[in-house]
Amino acid sequence: MLHQYQTQTKCLVALDSIIFGFDGQELKLLLVKRGIEDEHHTWSLMGGWVQPDESLEEASNRILFELTSLTDIYLEQLHTFGNPKRDPVERTVSVAYFALINVEDYDNKISKNFEAQWFSMQELPQLLFDHSAMVEMAIENLRYKASQHPIGFELLPEKFTIPQLQKLYEAIFGTELDKRNFSRKLLSTHLLVKLDEKQKGFSKKGAFYYRINEEKYKKQFNTFLNFLPNSIA
């Protein structure tokens, strides 16, 4: 049995994190500058290697913490990428995760050691290896889940307005939503708690702030809410 293990070709296991953020206007992707061989100005997803004493979940949380100093944020395993030629340096299998964070709340915590930078999803640079395929799969997954579950709320600050929430979903899906229908479907989920405070400086009337009803959010996270138009959902 031991001989069978010894005769196998060793394979590296990497983790790559697709970190989405929302700045109130655009959906963004966090990238780091990489210098591999002759590619000194290549951008890539944040990644690292699985250590011998780590599980995949432990490694993904550690790598994300090293870049953002954040813990307890939304992080989900996406897919495993194993094309033999995906990494020209060494045979490497990559397990991709995607994370959701609010840019405004956490931007000052982003590590400068990796030359990390937020990029609009509409203006992404050329990415390393197969990272573009990872991002494409991640955004498709995000759109599917956001159409059925309240996953998008993970990208919002603690308090927000209905227009801000609508702007988020328009950024995720790349389309405009009907204001009245969106608000009606959203409020019918009873996931939001209306606050007495209003947003100032954007209109004369002002929009009320809301926060998430944490108890209902946890109970309904995996239920099919379907509060988006059928043409999108």
Side-chain angles (χ1 to χ4, degrees), residues 92-141:
T92 305
V93 170
S94 177
V95 182
Y97 283 77
F98 75 92
L100 305 177
I101 67 176
N102 176 261
V103 174
E104 183 178 341
D105 287 351
Y106 301 130
D107 196 35
N108 62 342
K109 297 182 180 179
I110 301 302
S111 173
K112 303 304 180 184
N113 296 332
F114 302 96
E115 295 188 64
Q117 183 174 325
W118 289 105
F119 285 86
S120 167
M121 288 296 296
Q122 306 301 319
E123 300 177 351
L124 294 180
Q126 183 175 349
L127 300 181
L128 185 74
F129 303 155
D130 54 357
H131 290 191
S132 291
M134 294 181 183
V135 173
E136 183 176 347
M137 182 178 290
I139 190 62
E140 289 179 0
N141 187 280

Coordinates of all heavy atoms in Angstrom, one line a residue, residues 92-141:
T92 N -0.6 21.8 -10.8 CA -1.3 22.4 -9.6 C -2.8 22.3 -9.8 O -3.3 22.7 -10.9 CB -0.9 23.9 -9.4 OG1 0.5 24.0 -9.3 CG2 -1.6 24.5 -8.2
V93 N -3.4 21.8 -8.8 CA -4.9 21.8 -8.7 C -5.3 23.0 -7.8 O -4.8 23.2 -6.8 CB -5.4 20.5 -8.2 CG1 -6.9 20.6 -7.9 CG2 -5.2 19.3 -9.1
S94 N -6.3 23.8 -8.3 CA -6.7 24.9 -7.5 C -8.2 24.7 -7.1 O -9.0 24.4 -7.9 CB -6.6 26.2 -8.3 OG -7.1 27.3 -7.6
V95 N -8.4 25.0 -5.8 CA -9.8 25.0 -5.3 C -10.2 26.5 -5.1 O -9.5 27.2 -4.4 CB -9.9 24.3 -4.0 CG1 -11.3 24.2 -3.5 CG2 -9.3 22.8 -4.1
A96 N -11.2 26.9 -5.9 CA -11.6 28.3 -5.8 C -12.7 28.5 -4.8 O -13.7 27.7 -4.7 CB -12.0 28.7 -7.2
Y97 N -12.6 29.6 -4.1 CA -13.7 30.1 -3.2 C -14.1 31.5 -3.6 O -13.3 32.2 -4.2 CB -13.1 30.1 -1.8 CG -13.0 28.8 -1.1 CD1 -12.0 27.9 -1.4 CD2 -13.9 28.4 -0.1 CE1 -11.8 26.7 -0.8 CE2 -13.8 27.2 0.5 CZ -12.8 26.3 0.2 OH -12.6 25.1 0.8
F98 N -15.3 31.9 -3.3 CA -15.7 33.3 -3.5 C -16.2 33.8 -2.2 O -16.8 33.2 -1.4 CB -16.7 33.5 -4.6 CG -18.1 33.1 -4.4 CD1 -19.0 34.0 -3.9 CD2 -18.5 31.8 -4.7 CE1 -20.3 33.7 -3.7 CE2 -19.8 31.4 -4.5 CZ -20.8 32.4 -4.0
A99 N -15.8 35.1 -2.0 CA -16.2 35.8 -0.7 C -16.9 37.1 -1.1 O -16.8 37.7 -2.2 CB -14.9 36.2 0.0
L100 N -17.8 37.6 -0.1 CA -18.5 38.8 -0.3 C -18.2 39.7 0.8 O -18.4 39.4 2.0 CB -20.0 38.5 -0.4 CG -20.5 37.4 -1.4 CD1 -22.0 37.2 -1.2 CD2 -20.2 37.9 -2.8
I101 N -17.8 40.9 0.5 CA -17.5 41.9 1.5 C -18.0 43.3 1.1 O -18.1 43.6 -0.1 CB -16.0 42.0 2.0 CG1 -15.2 42.5 0.8 CG2 -15.5 40.6 2.4 CD1 -13.7 42.6 1.2
N102 N -18.2 44.2 2.0 CA -18.6 45.6 1.7 C -17.3 46.4 1.6 O -16.6 46.5 2.6 CB -19.5 46.1 2.8 CG -19.9 47.6 2.6 OD1 -19.3 48.4 3.2 ND2 -20.8 47.8 1.7
V103 N -17.1 47.0 0.5 CA -15.9 47.8 0.2 C -15.7 48.9 1.2 O -14.7 49.1 1.8 CB -15.9 48.3 -1.2 CG1 -14.7 49.3 -1.4 CG2 -15.8 47.2 -2.2
E104 N -16.8 49.7 1.4 CA -16.7 50.9 2.3 C -16.3 50.5 3.7 O -15.5 51.2 4.4 CB -18.1 51.6 2.3 CG -18.1 52.8 3.1 CD -19.4 53.5 3.1 OE1 -20.2 53.2 2.2 OE2 -19.7 54.4 4.0
D105 N -16.8 49.4 4.2 CA -16.5 49.0 5.6 C -15.1 48.5 5.8 O -14.5 48.7 6.8 CB -17.5 47.9 6.1 CG -18.9 48.5 6.3 OD1 -19.0 49.7 6.3 OD2 -19.8 47.7 6.5
Y106 N -14.6 47.8 4.8 CA -13.4 47.1 4.9 C -12.2 47.5 4.1 O -11.1 47.0 4.2 CB -13.6 45.6 4.7 CG -14.7 45.0 5.5 CD1 -15.7 44.2 5.0 CD2 -14.6 45.1 6.9 CE1 -16.7 43.7 5.8 CE2 -15.6 44.5 7.7 CZ -16.6 43.8 7.2 OH -17.6 43.3 8.0
D107 N -12.4 48.6 3.3 CA -11.3 49.0 2.4 C -10.0 49.4 3.1 O -8.9 49.1 2.6 CB -11.8 50.1 1.5 CG -10.9 50.3 0.3 OD1 -10.4 49.4 -0.2 OD2 -10.7 51.5 -0.1
N108 N -10.1 49.9 4.3 CA -8.9 50.3 5.0 C -8.2 49.2 5.6 O -7.1 49.3 6.2 CB -9.3 51.4 6.1 CG -10.2 50.8 7.2 OD1 -10.9 49.8 6.9 ND2 -10.3 51.4 8.3
K109 N -8.8 48.0 5.6 CA -8.1 46.8 6.1 C -7.4 46.0 5.1 O -6.7 45.0 5.4 CB -9.2 45.9 6.8 CG -9.9 46.6 8.0 CD -10.8 45.6 8.7 CE -11.5 46.3 9.9 NZ -12.5 45.4 10.5
I110 N -7.6 46.3 3.8 CA -7.0 45.6 2.7 C -5.4 45.7 2.8 O -4.9 46.9 2.9 CB -7.4 46.1 1.4 CG1 -9.0 45.9 1.3 CG2 -6.8 45.3 0.3 CD1 -9.5 44.5 1.5
S111 N -4.7 44.6 2.8 CA -3.3 44.7 3.0 C -2.6 45.3 1.8 O -2.9 45.0 0.6 CB -2.8 43.2 3.2 OG -1.4 43.2 3.2
K112 N -1.7 46.2 2.0 CA -0.9 46.8 1.0 C 0.3 45.9 0.6 O 1.0 46.2 -0.4 CB -0.4 48.2 1.4 CG -1.6 49.1 1.8 CD -2.6 49.3 0.7 CE -3.7 50.2 1.1 NZ -4.8 50.3 0.1
N113 N 0.6 44.9 1.4 CA 1.7 44.0 1.1 C 1.6 43.3 -0.2 O 2.6 42.9 -0.8 CB 1.9 43.0 2.2 CG 2.2 43.7 3.6 OD1 2.8 44.8 3.6 ND2 1.9 43.0 4.6
F114 N 0.4 43.1 -0.7 CA 0.2 42.4 -1.9 C -0.2 43.3 -3.1 O -0.6 42.8 -4.2 CB -0.9 41.4 -1.7 CG -0.7 40.4 -0.6 CD1 -1.2 40.6 0.7 CD2 0.1 39.3 -0.8 CE1 -0.9 39.7 1.7 CE2 0.4 38.4 0.2 CZ -0.2 38.6 1.5
E115 N -0.1 44.6 -2.9 CA -0.5 45.6 -3.9 C -1.9 45.3 -4.4 O -2.2 45.2 -5.6 CB 0.5 45.6 -5.1 CG 1.9 46.0 -4.8 CD 2.7 46.2 -6.0 OE1 2.4 47.0 -6.8 OE2 3.7 45.4 -6.1
A116 N -2.8 45.0 -3.4 CA -4.2 44.7 -3.7 C -4.9 45.9 -4.2 O -4.7 47.1 -3.7 CB -4.9 44.2 -2.4
Q117 N -5.9 45.7 -5.1 CA -6.6 46.8 -5.7 C -8.0 46.3 -6.1 O -8.1 45.2 -6.6 CB -5.9 47.4 -6.9 CG -6.5 48.6 -7.5 CD -5.6 49.2 -8.6 OE1 -4.4 49.2 -8.5 NE2 -6.3 49.7 -9.7
W118 N -9.0 47.2 -5.9 CA -10.4 46.9 -6.4 C -10.5 47.3 -7.8 O -10.1 48.4 -8.3 CB -11.4 47.7 -5.6 CG -11.6 47.2 -4.2 CD1 -11.1 47.8 -3.0 CD2 -12.2 46.0 -3.7 NE1 -11.5 47.1 -1.9 CE2 -12.2 46.0 -2.3 CE3 -12.9 45.0 -4.4 CZ2 -12.7 45.0 -1.6 CZ3 -13.5 44.0 -3.6 CH2 -13.4 43.9 -2.3
F119 N -11.1 46.4 -8.6 CA -11.4 46.7 -10.0 C -12.9 46.5 -10.3 O -13.5 45.6 -9.8 CB -10.6 45.7 -10.9 CG -9.2 46.0 -11.1 CD1 -8.3 45.5 -10.1 CD2 -8.7 46.7 -12.1 CE1 -6.9 45.7 -10.3 CE2 -7.3 47.0 -12.3 CZ -6.4 46.5 -11.3
S120 N -13.4 47.4 -11.1 CA -14.8 47.3 -11.5 C -15.0 46.0 -12.3 O -14.1 45.7 -13.1 CB -15.3 48.5 -12.4 OG -16.5 48.3 -13.0
M121 N -16.1 45.3 -12.2 CA -16.3 44.1 -13.0 C -16.5 44.4 -14.4 O -16.4 43.6 -15.3 CB -17.6 43.4 -12.4 CG -17.4 42.8 -11.1 SD -16.2 41.4 -11.1 CE -17.0 40.2 -12.3
Q122 N -16.7 45.7 -14.7 CA -16.8 46.2 -16.1 C -15.5 46.5 -16.8 O -15.4 46.6 -18.0 CB -17.7 47.4 -16.2 CG -19.1 47.2 -15.6 CD -19.9 46.1 -16.2 OE1 -19.9 45.9 -17.4 NE2 -20.6 45.3 -15.3
E123 N -14.4 46.6 -16.0 CA -13.1 47.0 -16.5 C -12.0 46.1 -15.8 O -11.1 46.6 -15.3 CB -12.9 48.4 -16.2 CG -13.9 49.4 -16.8 CD -13.7 50.8 -16.4 OE1 -12.8 51.1 -15.6 OE2 -14.3 51.7 -17.0
L124 N -12.1 44.8 -16.0 CA -11.1 43.9 -15.4 C -9.9 43.8 -16.3 O -10.0 43.8 -17.5 CB -11.7 42.5 -15.2 CG -12.8 42.4 -14.2 CD1 -13.3 40.9 -14.1 CD2 -12.4 42.9 -12.8
P125 N -8.7 43.8 -15.7 CA -7.5 43.6 -16.5 C -7.3 42.1 -16.9 O -8.1 41.3 -16.5 CB -6.4 44.0 -15.6 CG -6.9 43.7 -14.2 CD -8.4 43.9 -14.3
Q126 N -6.3 41.9 -17.7 CA -6.0 40.5 -18.1 C -5.5 39.8 -16.8 O -4.7 40.3 -16.1 CB -5.0 40.4 -19.1 CG -4.7 39.0 -19.6 CD -3.7 39.0 -20.8 OE1 -3.4 40.0 -21.4 NE2 -3.2 37.8 -21.1
L127 N -6.1 38.5 -16.6 CA -5.7 37.8 -15.4 C -4.8 36.6 -15.6 O -4.7 36.1 -16.7 CB -7.0 37.3 -14.7 CG -8.0 38.4 -14.3 CD1 -9.2 37.8 -13.6 CD2 -7.4 39.4 -13.4
L128 N -4.2 36.2 -14.6 CA -3.2 35.1 -14.6 C -3.9 33.8 -14.9 O -5.0 33.5 -14.4 CB -2.5 35.1 -13.3 CG -1.3 34.1 -13.1 CD1 -0.1 34.6 -13.9 CD2 -1.0 33.9 -11.6
F129 N -3.2 32.9 -15.6 CA -3.7 31.5 -15.8 C -5.1 31.4 -16.2 O -5.6 32.1 -17.1 CB -3.4 30.7 -14.5 CG -1.9 30.7 -14.1 CD1 -1.6 30.4 -12.8 CD2 -0.9 30.9 -15.0 CE1 -0.3 30.4 -12.4 CE2 0.4 30.9 -14.6 CZ 0.7 30.6 -13.3
D130 N -5.9 30.6 -15.4 CA -7.3 30.5 -15.7 C -8.2 31.3 -14.8 O -9.4 30.9 -14.6 CB -7.7 29.0 -15.7 CG -7.3 28.3 -14.4 OD1 -6.7 29.0 -13.5 OD2 -7.6 27.1 -14.2
H131 N -7.7 32.3 -14.2 CA -8.4 33.1 -13.2 C -9.7 33.8 -13.8 O -10.7 34.0 -13.1 CB -7.5 34.1 -12.5 CG -6.5 33.5 -11.6 ND1 -5.7 34.2 -10.8 CD2 -6.2 32.2 -11.4 CE1 -4.9 33.4 -10.1 NE2 -5.2 32.2 -10.5
S132 N -9.6 34.1 -15.1 CA -10.8 34.7 -15.8 C -12.0 33.7 -15.8 O -13.1 34.1 -15.6 CB -10.5 35.1 -17.2 OG -9.6 36.2 -17.2
A133 N -11.7 32.4 -16.0 CA -12.7 31.4 -16.0 C -13.3 31.3 -14.6 O -14.5 31.0 -14.4 CB -12.1 30.1 -16.5
M134 N -12.4 31.4 -13.6 CA -12.9 31.3 -12.2 C -13.9 32.4 -11.9 O -14.9 32.2 -11.3 CB -11.7 31.4 -11.2 CG -10.8 30.2 -11.3 SD -9.4 30.4 -10.1 CE -8.4 28.9 -10.5
V135 N -13.5 33.6 -12.3 CA -14.3 34.8 -12.1 C -15.7 34.7 -12.8 O -16.7 35.0 -12.2 CB -13.6 36.1 -12.5 CG1 -14.5 37.3 -12.4 CG2 -12.4 36.3 -11.6
E136 N -15.6 34.2 -14.0 CA -16.9 34.1 -14.8 C -17.8 33.1 -14.1 O -19.0 33.3 -14.0 CB -16.5 33.6 -16.2 CG -17.7 33.5 -17.1 CD -17.4 33.1 -18.5 OE1 -16.2 33.1 -18.9 OE2 -18.3 32.7 -19.3
M137 N -17.3 32.0 -13.6 CA -18.1 31.0 -13.0 C -18.6 31.6 -11.6 O -19.8 31.3 -11.3 CB -17.3 29.7 -12.7 CG -18.1 28.6 -12.0 SD -17.2 27.1 -11.7 CE -17.0 26.5 -13.4
A138 N -17.8 32.3 -11.0 CA -18.2 32.9 -9.7 C -19.4 33.9 -9.8 O -20.3 33.9 -9.0 CB -17.0 33.6 -9.0
I139 N -19.3 34.7 -10.8 CA -20.4 35.7 -11.0 C -21.6 35.1 -11.5 O -22.8 35.5 -11.1 CB -19.9 36.8 -12.1 CG1 -20.9 38.0 -12.1 CG2 -19.8 36.3 -13.4 CD1 -21.1 38.7 -10.8
E140 N -21.6 34.0 -12.2 CA -22.8 33.2 -12.6 C -23.4 32.6 -11.4 O -24.6 32.6 -11.2 CB -22.4 32.2 -13.6 CG -22.1 32.7 -15.0 CD -21.7 31.6 -16.0 OE1 -21.7 30.4 -15.6 OE2 -21.4 31.9 -17.2
N141 N -22.6 32.1 -10.5 CA -23.0 31.5 -9.3 C -23.7 32.5 -8.3 O -24.7 32.3 -7.7 CB -21.9 30.8 -8.5 CG -22.3 30.0 -7.3 OD1 -22.5 30.5 -6.3 ND2 -22.4 28.7 -7.5

